[in-house]
Amino acid sequence: MGSTLGEFEQLVLLALVRLGDDAYGVTVRRELEKRAARSVSLATVYTTLARLEAKGLVDTRVGEPTPQRGGRRKKHYVIVPAGRRALRDTLRTLRRMTSGLDAVWDA
C-alpha cells in the first residue's frame, strides 16, 4: 500500500464516491454530517481535499458560474483511480482486522 490514509481522509474519499459529480466543499460537508454524524468546518473539509489532491488521490474541476452564487464558480472534486485504490486497500485492511471480532463485541 502506497499512501496511508487517515480516518478523516477515508471519510472524505467515501463522500466523494457517494456524491459523484455533485462533490464540492459544501456537499462533502453535508455528507459527512449526515452519514458519519461528524460536525466539521468547511475549512477542515477544504484542507483535507487539498491534502488529498497533493497526494494525487483527488482531482478538481471548476464548474460554470451560477446566478445563485453571484456568478462565482464551484470547485468540484473527484476521486481519481489512485484514490480509489488507496481507499479500497484501506477498507480491505480494515475488513481483515475486524473479521471474526463479532464475538468480542457481543461479549
Side-chain angles (χ1 to χ4, degrees), residues 29-84:
R29 179 182 178 196
R30 274 192 215 129
E31 192 71 10
L32 293 169
E33 289 174 346
K34 181 173 107 180
R35 293 192 178 270
R38 297 278 292 261
S39 178
V40 296
S41 70
L42 268 178
T44 300
V45 171
Y46 283 119
T47 299
T48 303
L49 288 165
R51 186 171 56 250
L52 290 168
E53 186 175 18
K55 287 182 174 186
L57 305 177
V58 167
D59 202 1
T60 60
R61 71 173 172 78
V62 179
E64 294 300 316
T66 62
Q68 301 90 334
R69 294 177 46 84
R72 296 188 333 261
R73 301 169 183 258
K74 287 181 188 170
K75 189 173 186 179
H76 295 265
Y77 296 85
V78 62
I79 185 170
V80 299
R84 287 183 181 276

